[in-house]
Amino acid sequence: MKIHEYQAKAVLAAFGVAVPRGALALTPEEARVAAQGLGGSVWVVKAQVHAGGRGKGGGVKVCKSLDEVRDKAAAILGMTLVTPQTGPEGRLVRKVYVEEGLAIARELYVAMVLDRETRTIVLMASTEGGMEIEEVAAHSPERIHKEYIDFQAGIQPFHVRNTCTALGLTGLAAKRAATFLPALYKAFVDKDASLAEINPMVVTADGDLLALDAKVNFDDNALFRHPDIAALRDTDEEDPLEVQATAHDLNYIKLSGDIGNLVNGAGLAMATMDTIQHFGGQPANFLDVGGSADRARVKAAFEIILSDKPKAILVNIFGGIMKCDVIAEGVVAAARDVGLTVPLVVRLQGTNRDAGREILAKSGLRITPVESMREAAEAVVRASRGE
Amino acid sequence: MSIYVDQNTRVVVQGITGGAGSYHARQMVAYGTKVVAGVTPGKGGTTLDEIPVFDSVRQAVKETGADASCIFVPAPYCKDAILEAVDAGIRLIVCITEGVPVFDMLAVKPIVDRAGVRLIGPNCPGLISPAGRCKIGILPASIHQPGHIGVVSRSGTLTYEAVAQLTELGLGQSTAVGIGGDPIAGTGFIEVLQAFQDDPDTQAVVLIGEIGGSAEEKAAAFVKEHMTKPVIAFIAGRTAPPGRRMGHAGAIISGGEGTAESKITILRECGIEVAETPADIGATLAKRIGWNP
């Protein structure tokens, strides 16, 4: 799960990670009042959306007066922010975060993430703060310093010392890092994060160390034990169809093609998309109905797929736990309820296959039954072209 | 004749009184698996059909000599269930449950390894040995038949797809193992490949991978260095967009790493044939081993 910058900073600050002072605003006037409350003479107004690269898209503005804070907030609120991470459609900005301005001496990068191979938490650090780390990794991987932290033992002082050396942090900044990095690690582990990225982590003119930006993602599977984190979910930032799918326990991801598909099992669902593309089509979605889908869930899945206005739909079920006749009933019910008009190709294999096929055949619906995955993909691609 | 399990494996089902636990315990028994016990704390002294239910794994082991466990308990309790099984002396733990927090697996994995216990999963369909009539997990038994092909996979239903194709071609299986779709798996490709290499009854192997991580790349290098038996592969997720978790917690392309194309390239560089589509998995293996049905 993703959260906003202002939320991430609040979570991290509670663990002792130093962050600039700031306040959330939903209107230009609120932004002005927030700046006034913070005091000082320089403020930064930052668009709050779940995407990076906000500065490049015009979503981050430095202001020198309270009126400017209000005006810049007015410009940002309600804008559709397009960044390299939002895609061309962009994101509507609904909130801004107003922060005190800092005298920045250096911009650095630190992040924590799970390393699957070594099964450790890797602390990544780079002097190339403010840049996209993927770019640094691609062009100058030697500039990314890594410390591998054993999950049982936790972060040690030597991890901090090595990181300070790599970043050239000395004196007060190094002393601050000895608090900052262990606090970041503790937040990461205690809150079941999957990513904690501070880009940039800044050294101020006074030698202070602060998180100027913060991105924290969480392990969805662990949200049950963090109701405080789960409450931070902002469904405005998610695709409405994906929100609807989650409510029905469906794994759904919207894609850009025109062939809808409904599959059981994540691996088979991916492979089905791949096969459609192999035969010249473009999948409109990834949808895994899961191992224990019932009629209601199949119907919900159909409604979500149809909202995407596909030119054809492929249902590919390998019945194991899931029984083909149950799927078939769901398909027929859904097709009737929604008044299905697009061509439907259905492949049922495995448990109760014949019963399922009979239900489809007797339904009177225009369904193309197929045997193999190859046939299925070929048939649905043809159907999507109106052949 | 198989790896990890055979006709002598004695299984305790943890979470046997739940919906999935009871349904699949019965399915396992119907296939021929020796399900000797069930465990649900607070339900000790009851039975599921003929299977005695105990309050703890330790009691179940003491009373029935169970040596393998199949876990169906809800995700928040899997860490406890796995560690309880290790503590009770279980040698093979198969965790079917999906949705176990990653940090729970980080805590569990070193303990399992230190105890020398084999953990398969979580978020997996389990494993099956058709010749040994032993199934631990949720794989549909009817599509399997005894034979000499080893199957190892990160996916559930895609495994069934591959197995069904093999069976259709007359190629039975020595063992099919689903290692699960999570970022931290109890057992990886390499351990299963080594076991298939050492198993005199396995003649060739089908490896089914997917996007995310680098387990397939490591497996490819292992096959090149250490295996004499033929291996073919399929990788799912060529069309998966980067940065999105494709159903499985571990199926994500991040920072340009873990793409299907890079995995396929490395597998081929290591001499492993990769099926173009899932529909070609059976045929690719048949061709590789010169099998004419």
Side-chain angles (χ1 to χ4, degrees):
Chain A
M1 189 188 84
K2 294 179 179 180
I3 60 173
H4 288 291
E5 173 200 1
Y6 77 93
Q7 297 169 324
K9 283 178 170 170
V11 170
L12 295 178
F15 283 85
V17 177
V19 300
R21 293 179 309 125
L24 187 71
L26 303 179
T27 67
E29 185 52 27
E30 272 181 35
R32 198 191 66 82
V33 171
Q36 197 169 24
L38 291 169
S41 57
V42 181
W43 301 270
V44 186
V45 179
K46 306 169 92 175
Q48 298 296 294
V49 293
H50 288 184
R54 290 168 299 163
K56 285 177 197 159
V60 179
K61 297 288 180 194
V62 177
C63 306
K64 300 258 171 64
S65 73
L66 293 176
D67 286 345
E68 194 184 356
V69 167
R70 186 193 56 215
D71 296 346
K72 290 287 180 350
I76 293 172
L77 283 163
M79 81 185 283
T80 300
L81 184 61
V82 179
T83 85
Q85 292 182 19
T86 60
E89 70 277 13
R91 282 287 166 75
L92 178 66
V93 182
R94 295 176 171 91
K95 306 169 189 173
V96 291
Y97 193 50
V98 183
E99 266 186 350
E100 59 177 341
L102 300 174
I104 296 166
R106 295 182 66 202
E107 295 194 16
L108 307 167
Y109 173 97
V110 295
M112 288 183 187
V113 66
L114 169 74
D115 185 69
R116 288 161 69 158
E117 297 315 315
T118 59
R119 298 188 199 101
T120 57
I121 310 297
V122 55
L123 162 59
M124 294 191 285
S126 169
T127 52
E128 310 299 296
M131 284 177 62
E132 280 196 45
I133 199 67
E134 284 81 6
E135 272 176 47
V136 181
H139 297 115
S140 33
E142 74 286 354
R143 299 216 170 163
I144 301 176
H145 175 83
K146 289 182 180 173
E147 293 289 325
Y148 295 89
I149 303 169
D150 180 82
F151 184 71
Q152 268 65 39
I155 191 166
Q156 301 301 313
F158 83 87
H159 294 128
V160 177
R161 291 196 298 271
N162 289 350
T163 304
C164 284
T165 305
L167 294 176
L169 292 178
T170 54
L172 181 62
K175 211 169 147 185
R176 293 278 190 258
T179 308
F180 190 107
L181 295 175
L184 183 62
Y185 179 81
K186 188 161 171 36
F188 184 86
V189 170
D190 283 9
K191 293 296 180 187
D192 282 276
S194 55
L195 169 75
E197 184 180 63
I198 311 298
N199 188 21
M201 174 175 78
V202 297
V203 183
T204 66
D206 308 332
D208 230 340
L209 197 67
L210 294 100
L212 196 65
D213 195 1
K215 177 179 173 184
V216 184
N217 297 348
F218 299 91
D219 179 358
D220 291 329
N221 292 341
L223 288 175
F224 69 87
R225 59 188 172 207
H226 303 295
D228 55 330
I229 300 296
L232 301 178
R233 185 169 177 201
D234 183 354
T235 49
D236 281 345
E237 292 292 319
E238 299 171 30
D239 184 276
L241 289 179
E242 295 185 9
V243 174
Q244 197 184 329
T246 307
H248 287 98
D249 268 336
L250 297 163
N251 270 316
Y252 166 84
I253 292 172
K254 190 181 160 80
L255 301 169
S256 56
D258 54 13
I259 297 176
N261 50 95
L262 186 160
V263 188
N264 67 327
L268 189 63
M270 271 190 278
T272 302
M273 288 163 36
D274 297 347
T275 312
I276 287 171
Q277 179 158 300
H278 183 81
F279 288 103
Q282 288 298 328
N285 68 276
F286 164 93
L287 194 150
D288 166 17
V289 284
S292 56
D294 53 13
R295 200 173 135 160
R297 206 193 281 182
V298 173
K299 198 180 145 200
F302 250 91
E303 283 164 356
I304 289 165
I305 292 172
L306 282 169
S307 321
D308 252 353
K309 310 252 178 285
K311 289 190 179 141
I313 297 175
L314 171 60
V315 174
N316 186 17
I317 300 295
F318 205 108
I321 316 169
M322 189 138 173
K323 297 175 187 72
C324 288
D325 51 337
V326 174
I327 285 283
E329 280 175 12
V331 168
V332 170
R336 288 222 174 96
D337 289 357
V338 299
L340 187 75
T341 52
V342 295
L344 182 61
V345 177
V346 181
R347 177 199 182 221
L348 299 175
Q349 277 294 351
T351 312
N352 296 358
R353 174 188 72 182
D354 294 336
R357 290 180 183 176
E358 199 177 318
I359 291 167
L360 294 180
K362 282 185 179 162
S363 71
L365 292 163
R366 199 160 60 95
I367 293 172
T368 311
V370 288
E371 285 278 336
S372 72
M373 262 186 91
R374 177 188 299 268
E375 267 183 86
E378 286 175 338
V380 80
V381 170
R382 272 197 309 273
S384 73
R385 292 173 180 158
E387 289 168 24
Chain B
M1 69 193 296
S2 57
I3 64 169
Y4 303 147
V5 294
D6 57 29
Q7 66 277 17
N8 300 316
T9 305
R10 297 172 70 79
V11 181
V12 51
V13 175
Q14 293 177 255
I16 196 166
T17 54
S22 57
Y23 177 79
H24 290 290
R26 289 184 172 117
Q27 295 285 316
M28 286 187 246
V29 170
Y31 186 63
T33 309
K34 291 192 173 62
V35 179
V36 296
V39 169
T40 299
K43 297 268 175 74
T46 63
T47 57
L48 178 89
D49 304 337
E50 307 287 293
I51 308 164
V53 178
F54 298 90
D55 283 322
S56 73
V57 182
R58 202 178 289 184
Q59 282 176 318
V61 169
K62 185 164 171 259
E63 300 294 329
T64 67
D67 56 6
S69 149
C70 189
I71 295 178
F72 287 100
V73 308
Y77 312 109
C78 281
K79 177 180 172 184
D80 178 48
I82 294 168
L83 294 179
E84 184 185 357
V86 172
D87 178 76
I90 293 289
R91 308 308 299 163
L92 170 69
I93 302 169
V94 181
C95 184
I96 307 301
T97 310
E98 178 176 3
V100 179
V102 172
F103 288 173
D104 285 3
M105 285 307 298
L106 273 187
V108 158
K109 177 74 175 140
I111 299 171
V112 167
D113 289 349
R114 206 156 55 225
V117 172
R118 162 119 355 257
L119 169 66
I120 295 174
N123 190 13
C124 79
L127 74 169
I128 185 167
S129 158
R133 295 304 280 186
C134 181
K135 168 179 106 159
I136 304 182
I138 60 175
L139 308 97
S142 64
I143 58 172
H144 296 82
Q145 77 177 32
H148 305 289
I149 309 300
V151 179
V152 58
S153 170
R154 275 170 73 188
S155 156
T157 44
L158 194 49
T159 311
Y160 314 159
E161 182 72 44
V163 167
Q165 287 175 29
L166 293 172
T167 296
E168 189 99 336
L169 291 167
L171 291 164
Q173 304 85 42
S174 56
T175 312
V177 186
I179 59 173
D182 275 3
I184 306 287
T187 294
F189 280 127
I190 290 176
E191 293 151 290
V192 181
L193 289 170
Q194 179 72 62
F196 279 138
Q197 173 67 24
D198 296 341
D199 173 35
D201 242 25
T202 299
Q203 291 169 359
V205 178
V206 174
L207 180 151
I208 298 169
E210 62 191 26
I211 55 161
S214 57
E216 291 80 2
E217 290 88 329
K218 299 263 161 64
F222 177 84
V223 169
K224 190 179 175 189
E225 294 285 317
H226 302 286
M227 286 191 74
T228 54
K229 297 177 183 178
V231 179
I232 71 109
F234 175 75
I235 303 293
R238 272 184 168 172
T239 47
R244 302 300 308 265
R245 286 187 192 282
M246 306 303 286
H248 289 156
I252 180 167
I253 298 166
S254 48
E257 286 179 358
T259 65
E261 290 308 331
S262 72
K263 289 174 190 290
I264 291 167
T265 304
I266 289 169
L267 284 161
R268 287 187 175 145
E269 279 170 10
C270 290
I272 299 163
E273 279 187 54
V274 182
E276 277 295 326
T277 78
D280 303 318
I281 295 172
T284 304
L285 181 79
K287 188 168 154 242
R288 177 70 178 79
I289 61 173
W291 172 262
N292 288 308

